Amino acid sequence: MSTGTALAVDPHVVTCTLAPRYEAVRTARDFARTTLNRWGLGDLFDDVALVASELVTNALRHAVGARPDPGHLAADLAAIPTQGGPQQSMDGRLPIRISLVHRAPQVVCAVSDPSSTGPVAREADFVAESGRGLHLVDSFSRSWGWHPLAGAGKVVWALFEAEDPAGVRAQDAIGRHRRSA
């Protein structure tokens, strides 16, 4: 199984620990679908799922050191447990976690990982098979950014606007904020 414990102390702040395997991307999408549907925000799923997929993939490729071959990960990845304490695993390494936070009318999708190096958007290369993820994150979220965590690691987040009861997205009413990486 690709997921550890889903934590929910506050029903509007939910976190899932992900295993350092490529199946974690699917687990992140499933987690997003279940959580957004529980909150009655299923209409956000496509955008949140795409962004969650990109952020988790980046964490696997760059922060944890996963290789592009889906059947092959670096040997030390097995040392990161899928269930650990709320801050660190028993060996002191930070796992990959996805969190969704709902504070009406906004939803934040955040992915934390063990690397303190921030994400860098590359120049778009339309022939390359990778390198467009952060451009997609920027396009499908209202804004995004990252913050270092105390000690080690970072969290990369993306903000989404949910619909109000009248069916109008807040971003449509106030305009979309673009953030450069």
Side-chain angles (χ1 to χ4, degrees):
M1 181 171 233
S2 186
T3 176
T5 306
L7 305 171
V9 176
D10 176 342
H12 295 288
V13 179
V14 186
T15 299
C16 181
T17 302
L18 301 170
R21 296 189 296 265
Y22 279 93
E23 297 87 42
V25 177
R26 180 177 181 184
T27 301
R29 286 192 303 263
D30 292 344
F31 171 75
R33 179 186 311 276
T34 300
T35 302
L36 292 169
N37 284 337
R38 188 175 329 125
W39 291 339
L41 299 172
D43 60 311
L44 286 179
F45 173 72
D46 290 337
D47 291 353
V48 173
L50 182 132
V51 167
S53 296
E54 293 299 332
L55 296 181
V56 171
T57 298
N58 284 350
L60 289 168
R61 283 189 178 157
H62 304 292
V64 179
R67 305 182 84 141
D69 177 6
H72 232 218
L73 294 178
D76 67 335
L77 295 182
I80 300 176
T82 58
Q83 294 181 335
Q87 297 300 318
Q88 293 184 340
S89 65
M90 288 185 280
D91 66 358
R93 294 186 70 182
L94 296 171
I96 296 172
R97 289 196 171 101
I98 181 171
S99 300
L100 293 174
V101 180
H102 178 222
R103 298 288 185 243
Q106 299 171 327
V107 172
V108 173
C109 174
V111 174
S112 60
D113 66 54
S115 171
S116 296
T117 304
V120 177
R122 294 192 259 166
E123 186 66 33
D125 181 348
F126 298 104
V127 223
E129 290 185 21
S130 65
R132 293 180 290 275
L134 292 176
H135 296 286
L136 291 171
V137 171
D138 186 58
S139 295
F140 283 84
S141 64
R142 182 167 185 245
S143 62
W144 72 276
W146 73 279
H147 298 285
L149 297 174
K154 70 174 173 300
V155 61
V156 183
W157 55 267
L159 176 71
F160 300 87
E161 296 289 340
E163 291 186 1
D164 67 15
V168 177
R169 284 189 184 218
Q171 71 187 36
D172 295 337
I174 60 174
R176 183 178 164 99
H177 169 69
R178 290 280 183 173
R179 175 188 167 100
S180 61

